[in-house]
Amino acid sequence: MGNSGQLGYITSISELLDFRKFNSPSGAVLQNFSVTEVYIKRAKKCLSKVMRSHWTTDLDIETLESRRSWASLAEPFHIPRYKIILDECKNKSPVVSATNLTFATRFLAVFMFFKVKGCRPMTYLHLTVSMFESAKRNKGMVDQTKFKTAKKYGFDSLYFDEISLDVVDNYVRYVRPFLQPRCDYLLVNRNGIQFQKLTEILSILVFQAIGKYVHPTRYRQIIETESVQILNVEEQKLVSEDQKHSSNVARVHYQKLRSRDVAIKGRTCMEKLRGLHGAEMDTCVEQLKQEHCSEHESKSDNETTSIPQTTTEKVCAEKRKPLRFTKEEDQFIERGIKRFGARWCTILRHPEYNFQPGREARTLRLRAIQQKLI
């Protein structure tokens, strides 16, 4: 049972106690109830504390990347296979397998999630053909009213651009009739009824495409987190409001960045606060470091006559210089993106691209973002 399940279980016990109190129990029973309520309150506090501590680790981007549960917005998808299936349906092929029809529906669901809006899956599950037809007359706009946070927001508007309208229209005209639909929902399964489990389907198709475990909530977290690097504050607010989603991953990420920024600026302020005394202390520390290095060098000279330069550098703990990107490496990244897309490991390991030793796939992605290649 997860933390949320445990919290719900404790809440149920608390509600049961309230129900028993309503039936006028004896004084001894009420006293026992009071003691139990104290323990329940303590359990809730402890569990909430554990959940908050888990947020800083389980929802950390480095942790998610190590679990292959984090991706970039530029990674590829399954368009070629869907095109083949669509051509079969357009040609009214007598043999269109049920597997291909199911894949086409899955593809369209994930396509809308990626291309139209990364909203909650319930919005697309309750999207009907009549709603989509109205979008053609309403400049691509659909106002959905049945979704998870409808009480708070009232409407969840979907905007279909020309490309999205064309893709969905082709599905409705050519693929959907093969499924023999028995309802008006846009997405139907092979039995002709409402399509379900968009969360599971998105995870499956994304894993087949890029080998990573990304579900709808994680995808919205990726959007909200990457928006801080590309969009301004006003644009970030628009994206968050449009998706009707607040990401705990993004919140933890921002808190970490803010904490690091404050730590660096705080160090500068402390140096300013110390003034001359701080400068004298730094001078003493530097002298102590030089004396330690010289003593270690003289000791090593007694043991052996020749010392490699790299060992001396390691002993003196010289700060490693940053590994800057060269023009050739930028060209390698640009060629790799055109050839392989956002598969950074493939680009890094390709024999034609001679990157400097120490390069990582993560640094290639950051460099590509910095150079606006993706």
Side-chain angles (χ1 to χ4, degrees):
M1 184 183 294
N3 291 329
S4 299
Q6 294 175 12
L7 194 60
Y9 185 72
I10 294 174
T11 303
S12 300
I13 296 175
S14 179
E15 292 175 352
L16 179 61
L17 291 177
D18 292 338
F19 176 76
R20 290 292 304 275
K21 285 181 181 179
F22 182 76
N23 293 327
S24 303
S26 62
V29 174
L30 280 175
Q31 187 176 1
N32 291 333
F33 283 175
S34 299
V35 175
T36 305
E37 285 179 338
V38 171
Y39 284 113
I40 287 176
K41 288 181 180 179
R42 291 180 180 177
K44 282 185 176 180
K45 287 183 179 179
C46 292
L47 190 56
S48 299
K49 187 176 181 180
V50 170
M51 291 175 68
R52 286 194 297 270
S53 65
H54 284 177
W55 283 351
T56 59
T57 54
D58 295 343
L59 299 182
D60 184 66
I61 291 181
E62 285 79 4
T63 304
L64 294 172
E65 284 181 339
S66 66
R67 297 175 181 173
R68 300 190 62 78
S69 295
W70 196 260
S72 69
L73 298 179
E75 301 199 37
F77 203 55
H78 297 270
I79 295 178
R81 182 180 174 185
Y82 177 75
K83 188 176 183 301
I84 294 173
I85 298 172
L86 182 62
D87 290 339
E88 290 181 357
C89 295
K90 282 184 177 180
N91 296 329
K92 297 182 179 180
S93 174
V95 183
V96 180
S97 66
T99 303
N100 284 343
L101 293 174
T102 301
F103 175 84
T105 303
R106 292 176 174 179
F107 172 86
L108 185 74
V110 178
F111 171 83
M112 288 193 296
F113 192 83
F114 284 168
K115 179 66 177 174
V116 179
K117 183 166 68 173
C119 56
R120 296 183 183 274
M122 188 176 182
T123 301
Y124 292 122
L125 297 182
H126 291 276
L127 184 65
T128 63
V129 176
S130 57
M131 288 180 183
F132 174 72
E133 294 297 332
S134 67
K136 297 179 182 178
R137 304 185 298 270
N138 197 25
K139 298 181 180 179
M141 193 66 67
V142 172
D143 295 320
Q144 171 70 277
T145 57
K146 189 172 183 179
F147 57 103
K148 194 170 183 178
T149 53
K151 291 183 179 179
K152 181 177 181 181
Y153 296 102
F155 292 94
D156 190 11
S157 299
L158 302 175
Y159 174 66
F160 292 85
D161 58 13
E162 293 183 3
I163 296 176
S164 301
L165 282 173
D166 184 60
V167 172
V168 179
D169 186 57
N170 284 332
Y171 171 83
V172 173
R173 292 172 58 188
Y174 300 111
V175 179
R176 192 171 179 272
F178 279 88
L179 295 168
Q180 299 178 358
R182 292 183 286 166
C183 60
D184 192 41
Y185 292 117
L186 180 69
L187 300 174
V188 292
N189 58 23
R190 65 177 67 183
N191 295 322
I193 59 178
Q194 184 185 22
F195 181 80
Q196 298 286 344
K197 299 181 179 179
L198 178 58
T199 299
E200 179 182 344
I201 296 308
L202 175 67
S203 302
I204 293 173
L205 264 66
V206 171
F207 180 79
Q208 291 175 351
I210 61 176
K212 295 182 179 179
Y213 308 94
V214 178
H215 50 75
T217 300
R218 184 74 70 239
Y219 179 72
R220 292 197 299 274
Q221 291 167 347
I222 292 170
I223 290 176
E224 193 162 346
T225 304
E226 286 199 5
S227 66
V228 75
Q229 302 174 354
I230 302 173
L231 307 179
N232 57 41
V233 177
E234 188 65 28
E235 291 170 337
Q236 293 173 38
K237 290 181 179 179
L238 288 174
V239 170
S240 297
E241 184 179 356
D242 182 41
Q243 292 185 359
K244 299 173 176 55
H245 178 73
S246 179
S247 169
N248 286 325
V249 173
R251 188 179 300 114
V252 171
H253 184 60
Y254 300 155
Q255 288 174 349
K256 177 184 284 187
L257 294 179
R258 175 62 179 167
S259 178
R260 291 177 178 177
D261 184 52
V262 169
I264 294 172
K265 292 180 179 178
R267 173 66 181 274
T268 305
C269 294
M270 286 299 297
E271 290 177 355
K272 182 178 179 181
L273 188 63
R274 292 193 186 101
L276 294 176
H277 178 69
E280 293 175 358
M281 182 183 295
D282 292 340
T283 303
C284 294
V285 171
E286 186 65 28
Q287 292 175 354
L288 182 64
K289 176 182 175 182
Q290 292 176 358
E291 291 175 1
H292 175 72
C293 290
S294 59
E295 289 177 2
H296 199 92
E297 287 177 0
S298 60
K299 183 178 179 181
S300 300
D301 288 337
N302 294 332
E303 294 177 356
T304 178
T305 56
S306 62
I307 301 177
Q309 186 178 0
T310 54
T311 306
T312 306
E313 292 174 353
K314 186 176 181 181
V315 171
C316 293
E318 292 184 358
K319 187 176 180 180
R320 183 180 177 183
K321 295 182 179 179
L323 194 62
R324 300 187 181 278
F325 280 86
T326 63
K327 293 182 179 180
E328 290 77 13
E329 288 181 310
D330 289 339
Q331 293 175 359
F332 295 156
I333 295 174
E334 186 175 0
R335 293 177 198 164
I337 292 173
K338 291 180 180 178
R339 186 172 179 181
F340 303 106
R343 298 184 178 180
W344 308 113
C345 292
T346 304
I347 297 173
L348 179 64
R349 297 169 184 169
H350 199 277
E352 293 181 9
Y353 308 141
N354 298 320
F355 290 98
Q356 300 181 62
R359 283 277 177 250
E360 298 178 359
R362 178 180 59 85
T363 59
L364 298 188
R365 180 176 70 85
L366 295 176
R367 182 64 175 177
I369 294 174
Q370 184 182 6
Q371 296 293 318
K372 297 182 179 179
L373 299 176
I374 57 174

